[in-house]
Structures are given as C-alpha cells and as structure tokens.
Amino acid sequence: MSSTFPTQGKPVKGSEAFTLTQLEKTQAHRYVLLNCATIKPFISEFRDCIRRSSRGWRPSATEVERRVNKEFPDWFPKRIQVSRATVTVADHFSCGLPLEIARW
C-alpha cells in the first residue's frame, strides 16, 4: 500500500479504461502536484524563488499563488533533475500522468 496515496474504500465493479484529453491531463497533474504533502517543500522553495526573483518589488500573495499554479508544474521536473542523487516519490510526480487511466 502506498503511503503517499493510501487506499480508501474498494471498487464495487470492475474498472474501465478511458483517455484523458491533454487539458484534463494537465489539470489532473497540477492538482496532484499542488495537493500532495510530499511535494509541499518544493512548492515552498518555488514560492521563495518567486519572491527572490522579484527585484525591487514585493509580489502580492495573489501574484505568488497565480505564478505557482501556472509555473510550478514546469519548474518542478527541472528542479528534480538537478538533485537526482536518489529516486524519490517526487521523481514520479515530475513525469506527469499517463493519458490512459482506469476508473472504478
């Protein structure tokens, strides 16, 4: 059982495969990244990067969050590649989601 995504409940019927559109895949990947406790330290690091890179002005909290939502999914895989000493759960999240998934 995954400690990152513990099983809650069980399927009543079998599963069926379906294909996500590219937009749905992007939205699902962003949701998982921004709502996973394992990734929170990286999000904090990215927020700090945004604040440090804003020369001469302090971005509002709204501006920081807008940039996190828009730019973090692209920044995260690059950050993981920089520190590839060990394979972690974060490595798997940096790759995105498959287009073919199953639902119950």
Side-chain angles (χ1 to χ4, degrees):
M1 176 171 17
S2 169
S3 61
T4 304
F5 297 107
T7 304
Q8 296 189 4
K10 58 183 179 179
V12 177
K13 296 180 181 179
S15 66
E16 72 179 76
F18 69 101
T19 303
L20 296 172
T21 65
Q22 190 60 44
L23 176 62
E24 290 169 330
K25 179 184 182 253
T26 300
Q27 291 171 334
H29 185 227
R30 181 178 293 129
Y31 179 84
V32 169
L33 281 177
L34 297 178
N35 291 286
C36 179
T38 305
I39 308 301
K40 295 294 183 192
F42 294 100
I43 295 171
S44 295
E45 179 182 339
F46 185 63
R47 283 186 182 112
D48 292 341
C49 288
I50 292 170
R51 289 182 189 107
R52 280 194 311 270
S53 69
S54 303
R55 299 180 198 145
W57 64 282
R58 182 179 169 93
S60 68
T62 302
E63 175 65 15
V64 170
E65 291 310 306
R66 184 191 66 75
R67 288 190 57 192
V68 167
N69 281 309
K70 183 177 180 184
E71 300 170 22
F72 182 76
D74 294 326
W75 175 87
F76 182 60
K78 295 171 192 166
R79 170 60 177 82
I80 294 300
Q81 288 176 351
V82 169
S83 63
R84 283 268 167 160
T86 59
V87 176
T88 64
V89 172
D91 290 316
H92 298 290
F93 287 126
S94 71
C95 298
L97 302 171
L99 286 176
E100 279 278 318
I101 62 171
R103 67 176 158 203
W104 288 266

